[in-house]
Amino acid sequence: MFKYQFDWTVVTSGQYAEWLLSGIKVTFELSLLSIVLSFFLGLLIAVMRMSHIAPIRWLAHGYLEFFRNTPLLVQIFFWYFGSYKILPKAFNDWLNNTNFEFAAAVIALTIYTSAFIAEDIRSGVRSIPKEQMEAARSSGFSYLRSMQYIILPQAIRLTIPPLINQFLNLTKNSSLAMTIGVMELTYQARQVESYTFKGFEAFTAATLIYVVISLIITGLVTLYSKKILSPMKAH
Amino acid sequence: MIKFQGVHKWFKKLHVLNDVNLHVSPGEVLVICGPSGSGKSTLIRTINKLEPIDKGTLIIDGMDLSDPKTDINKLRAEIGFVFQQFNLYPHLSVLKNITLAPIKIRGLSRKDAEDVAMSLLERVGLADKVHSYPTQLSGGQQQRVAIARALAMKPKIMLFDEPTSALDPEMIGEVLLVMQNLASSGMTMIVVTHEMGFASEVSHRVAFMDYGIILEEAKPDEFFKNPKHDRAKQFLKEILSPMH
Ligand SMILES: Nc1ncnc2c1ncn2[C@@H]1O[C@H](COP(=O)(O)OP(=O)(O)OP(=O)(O)O)[C@@H](O)[C@H]1O
Ligand SMILES: [Mg+2]
């Protein structure tokens, strides 16, 4: 047995702390951007999945099955290594000029998570009594407008707990972005470890930071649903 | 204003509307009654195409419902529908429940829509509930808001499907009073109800239905004093008996 010397200063001050800090920033940006995008994409897929037009429904169904059932890591590698072969050149050029690793990670996390979010929203819609749709339609709203103003706002309120779950999964999954060189929190913790050999401190710090980030995201979504969305009690 | 000509409808094998012929003129109040399962809800729901018909013609305000050129959303905006279970939007305040369709469909400004909503809420006696949410209201209050919501679209026709059946007895009167005032303002109304007091005092005509067939159509005093059909006699006996 060797004796391990704890040294917490590597993660609380100096250059290594700065690395971790910049990792936190990237993890936050990656997560929040992907959360917002995956929510709206999931909403779109959910609506397509419930369309009266069969080909649109099939398309959404195929999307869901495909992206829910392939490993996220493979999808990340696909967008990073494989996407330039299928994407239009202009888009690739634009990606190359931005932060390509970051963009590939956002695309992969967004698409992967949107498939789960779409299913959650769809089951939220299913639990809204059909009379709500009838009331909306009989006022003269089209199907899509009824969805927009009456059904989805209620369904999303009911879907908040599973949505928070998906957002937290996304945040944790964002650590996989290190595999394509996104310098997020896990990547930076790894860096600190390889420079200092203080792996215990570095990963303990990273773990705690993930917990804090998760709590912040849960708090933000809960606050939003309580304060901004108007109250709705159970039917 | 509303014209059914040889209308039929089936739910699979169930012949739920059987050769319905019915005519409602502007300003007329028609009550439809009949035993449970006789097709009253289905009949009233065909008028705004919540239920499509399988055979016959149905002409509303000069528009043929089976004509593919008829814009159903536009027609529905002209027809107010009041449900047995109110069906207010639980995520919106009373004010927003009433102003949503006028703003989004009629294109009213928020201010104009809110003015209309306020005067309607005064008319149904709920001006103080403007910022409440549906779940905070009693059944009778919710139903009055639902009526105000329908009226905010300035409809030409109002349809009511058992508007008081889900209410506690002490709340029925307040809703019927609102409907009575509406009738005397000249609104064209079709009301499915078992409230025979409303039928005899407010309506101009009563239609009695059973098995999807309109068995009898008469002025209310005629219908109550001298029902012709045996099924109607039986129905009235059951519904007016003090044991009921
Ligand atoms: N969507 C549907 N699918 C199949 N059958 C239906 C459907 N809606 C109604 N029915 C059936 O059609 C018949 C007529 O129903 P409807 O609701 O019109 O009757 P009602 O006269 O309004 O009865 P109540 O007084 O109970 O409201 C009933 O036998 C009912 O079970
Ligand atoms: Mg009914």
Side-chain angles (χ1 to χ4, degrees):
Chain A
M1 278 298 285
F2 63 92
K3 197 146 189 293
Y4 186 86
Q5 289 288 327
F6 286 102
D7 179 8
W8 291 100
T9 56
V10 299
V11 296
T12 54
S13 62
Q15 186 198 358
Y16 303 128
E18 264 165 42
W19 287 1
L20 286 181
L21 220 50
S22 85
I24 293 174
K25 187 165 159 275
V26 173
T27 289
F28 245 113
E29 287 168 355
L30 186 59
S31 302
L32 288 183
L33 189 59
S34 304
I35 281 173
V36 172
L37 293 176
S38 65
F39 174 73
F40 285 106
L41 188 59
L43 203 54
L44 178 71
I45 302 294
V47 172
M48 287 172 65
R49 183 77 183 82
M50 294 178 287
S51 169
H52 294 306
I53 304 162
I56 294 184
R57 211 162 54 230
W58 297 333
L59 193 71
H61 193 76
Y63 178 100
L64 289 173
E65 293 303 335
F66 187 81
F67 289 109
R68 278 192 311 168
N69 295 317
T70 40
L72 175 57
L73 194 55
V74 174
Q75 293 184 34
I76 289 176
F77 286 156
F78 171 80
W79 293 108
Y80 186 62
F81 296 112
S83 67
Y84 67 93
K85 290 187 178 136
I86 57 159
L87 291 175
K89 185 176 176 314
F91 191 64
N92 275 323
D93 290 347
W94 174 79
L95 279 180
N96 280 321
N97 291 330
T98 56
N99 183 342
F100 183 59
E101 302 82 48
F102 185 82
V106 169
I107 292 171
L109 284 169
T110 296
I111 289 178
Y112 179 77
T113 312
S114 72
F116 293 91
I117 287 180
E119 284 299 80
D120 287 341
I121 291 178
R122 191 163 73 103
S123 68
V125 168
R126 281 223 210 90
S127 59
I128 305 298
K130 71 175 197 326
E131 286 78 9
Q132 288 289 308
M133 181 55 101
E134 286 184 349
R137 294 307 301 268
S138 61
S139 307
F141 284 112
S142 68
Y143 173 77
L144 284 178
R145 293 279 171 241
S146 305
M147 275 289 181
Q148 180 185 356
Y149 297 126
I150 288 119
I151 306 302
L152 287 175
Q154 296 183 50
I156 289 166
R157 283 169 174 80
L158 295 180
T159 313
I160 295 289
L163 278 182
I164 289 180
N165 237 334
Q166 299 302 349
F167 295 162
L168 296 184
N169 281 338
L170 187 155
T171 306
K172 289 179 278 180
N173 287 337
S174 73
S175 63
L176 291 175
M178 72 171 284
T179 56
I180 55 169
V182 176
M183 295 151 87
E184 46 69 67
L185 181 57
T186 309
Y187 179 100
Q188 297 289 15
R190 185 78 204 286
Q191 286 286 96
V192 173
E193 191 271 338
S194 53
Y195 275 75
T196 61
F197 303 105
K198 295 288 174 199
F200 183 84
E201 291 85 339
F203 286 106
T204 302
T207 305
L208 290 177
I209 292 164
Y210 276 114
V211 171
V212 172
I213 292 178
S214 293
L215 289 175
I216 291 174
I217 287 171
T218 306
L220 286 176
V221 177
T222 310
L223 199 70
Y224 178 78
S225 62
K226 288 250 165 65
K227 294 279 147 82
I228 314 286
L229 299 177
S230 46
M232 183 179 83
K233 302 200 186 86
H235 298 276
Chain B
M1 190 121 223
I2 299 171
K3 207 151 103 193
F4 285 78
Q5 284 170 325
V7 168
H8 291 261
K9 181 175 178 70
W10 286 266
F11 282 123
K12 301 236 170 72
K13 288 207 163 142
L14 183 68
H15 201 165
V16 62
L17 295 180
N18 187 345
D19 193 26
V20 171
N21 293 283
L22 198 63
H23 208 122
V24 180
S25 328
E28 199 178 2
V29 178
L30 172 72
V31 159
I32 298 174
C33 61
S36 179
S38 56
K40 308 176 301 290
S41 295
T42 308
L43 177 71
I44 201 171
R45 287 158 60 89
T46 61
I47 296 171
N48 67 358
K49 221 177 176 180
L50 280 179
E51 299 288 356
I53 62 172
D54 295 320
K55 199 169 147 212
T57 39
L58 181 44
I59 295 171
I60 313 294
D61 195 25
M63 291 197 263
D64 185 341
L65 277 193
S66 351
D67 185 347
K69 284 200 281 301
T70 298
D71 182 345
I72 186 64
N73 292 330
K74 211 168 146 194
L75 182 64
R76 281 174 176 157
E78 308 297 333
I79 304 174
F81 200 108
V82 176
F83 299 85
Q84 182 173 352
Q85 297 293 344
F86 337 128
N87 299 348
L88 294 177
Y89 309 133
H91 63 302
L92 299 177
S93 68
V94 165
L95 184 66
K96 289 246 167 74
N97 261 277
I98 300 176
T99 58
L100 184 69
I103 292 173
K104 303 294 182 190
I105 294 172
R106 292 271 191 250
L108 255 61
S109 71
R110 174 175 298 271
K111 166 93 175 54
D112 289 350
E114 287 180 353
D115 289 347
V116 171
M118 278 315 298
S119 70
L120 283 169
L121 281 174
E122 261 155 43
R123 193 160 141 198
V124 301
L126 290 171
D128 55 327
K129 299 293 183 192
V130 57
H131 296 300
S132 303
Y133 279 81
T135 47
Q136 300 166 328
L137 304 180
S138 72
Q141 291 171 332
Q142 289 191 55
Q143 194 60 296
R144 284 183 283 155
V145 171
I147 295 173
R149 176 175 73 177
L151 291 175
M153 291 295 277
K154 303 218 167 14
K156 293 179 181 157
I157 299 168
M158 284 287 284
L159 307 174
F160 297 81
D161 189 2
E162 304 209 28
T164 57
S165 305
L167 300 178
D168 293 338
E170 70 272 19
M171 291 171 184
I172 292 175
E174 65 195 41
V175 172
L176 290 178
L177 186 66
V178 167
M179 291 168 61
Q180 180 168 9
N181 290 337
L182 191 60
S184 47
S185 76
M187 177 63 78
T188 308
M189 292 163 65
I190 297 187
V191 185
V192 174
T193 185
H194 291 160
E195 290 298 326
M196 292 301 125
F198 179 85
S200 66
E201 279 158 43
V202 181
S203 81
H204 302 127
R205 208 144 46 95
V206 178
F208 174 77
M209 256 187 116
D210 203 1
Y211 300 117
I213 308 171
I214 296 190
L215 289 177
E216 188 160 345
E217 236 188 288
K219 292 216 164 7
D221 46 353
E222 220 174 284
F223 177 74
F224 289 113
K225 281 205 200 93
N226 190 14
K228 298 207 173 52
H229 206 282
D230 284 346
R231 304 273 317 165
K233 285 179 193 157
Q234 178 69 19
F235 174 77
L236 282 175
K237 211 169 96 195
E238 277 168 20
I239 206 156
L240 297 174
S241 82
M243 293 300 290
H244 186 78

